[in-house]
Amino acid sequence: MSRKFFVGGNWKMNGDKKSLGELIQTMNSAKVDPNVEVVCGAPSIYLDFARSKLDAKFGVAAQNCYKVAKGAFTGEISPAMIKDCGVHWVILGHSERRHVFGESDELIGQKTAHALENGLGVIACIGEKLDEREAGITEKVVFAQTKVIADNVKDWSKVVLAYEPVWAIGTGKTASPQQAQEVHDKLRVWLKSNVSEAVANSVRIIYGGSVTGATCKELGSQKDVDGFLVGGASLKPEFIEIINAKM
């Protein structure tokens, strides 16, 4: 089954209207592969701005949301608010949410369920830390994280799984194409055993972790790598090269 290549840009806590406006202009005027789905993760305060300025061929994602529709949760945003800005995606379970802000697997699962119930697409992030890879428990960690997400998904067509080895995020270290392919392949086998063969074949598993214009072509050529979640490079003109990795 052919899976549509998916490239997400995670702008994280970066940019202002001036710099993001310039980036958006670069993207809107660039020649991009029409066979690639592109979604930009904007800071929540700029979701409206990004959606109004970005060409309609690009999607926009929130970088996080909460597990309920409304209430006394100062500083949080809900899927309903995200949709009200014309935005249709959310990134959940990013390693920075897990390891900087202490979000548990259980909370990420609850957020995933609520976002999907409210019609958002979810870019669900999983990945091991360096000590976990060195201890040889990569599979154990990513399978446990995936299970909590899977337990909260009814419709897999709205989910993109992002494998991001934490030791490769913002460090300049990239998992080798072979390392990325190996984990993606094992995730597909896990999905086949624990969800269904149809989901294992159709769900897009993208790679994140210091993806650049220099590394994207070889990573993107791996059989089970269906795209990227890009951090720092998504704020630079080379993001276009990454989107066009398959051209």
Side-chain angles (χ1 to χ4, degrees), residues 17-147:
K17 285 186 178 175
K18 183 176 183 293
S19 64
L20 294 177
E22 288 164 3
L23 174 67
I24 286 167
Q25 226 169 351
T26 300
M27 288 183 64
N28 288 347
S29 58
K31 187 177 186 307
V32 295
D33 187 338
N35 302 311
V36 176
E37 186 168 3
V38 180
V39 174
C40 293
S44 59
I45 199 163
Y46 296 134
L47 285 172
D48 233 339
F49 175 79
R51 184 59 288 166
S52 65
K53 301 285 185 191
L54 263 174
D55 195 291
K57 67 175 175 279
F58 300 117
V60 177
Q63 296 174 13
N64 191 27
C65 70
Y66 199 49
K67 63 179 181 180
V68 294
K70 59 183 178 182
F73 303 104
T74 302
E76 290 290 341
I77 60 172
S78 69
M81 292 171 177
I82 293 166
K83 284 179 71 181
D84 197 35
C85 291
V87 171
H88 300 292
W89 287 92
V90 64
I91 301 168
L92 292 175
H94 191 279
S95 66
E96 289 151 9
R97 298 303 316 171
R98 293 175 187 270
H99 303 305
V100 179
F101 298 102
E103 292 189 6
S104 65
D105 285 351
E106 183 190 18
L107 176 60
I108 292 157
Q110 291 166 338
K111 289 180 175 192
T112 299
H114 183 64
L116 290 169
E117 281 159 13
N118 284 271
L120 287 181
V122 172
I123 301 166
C125 303
I126 54 176
E128 82 283 12
K129 294 186 291 192
L130 183 59
D131 58 339
E132 292 166 336
R133 176 164 277 266
E134 287 174 344
I137 57 169
T138 292
E139 285 172 53
K140 184 182 168 194
V141 172
V142 297
F143 291 168
Q145 291 171 346
T146 306
K147 183 182 188 313

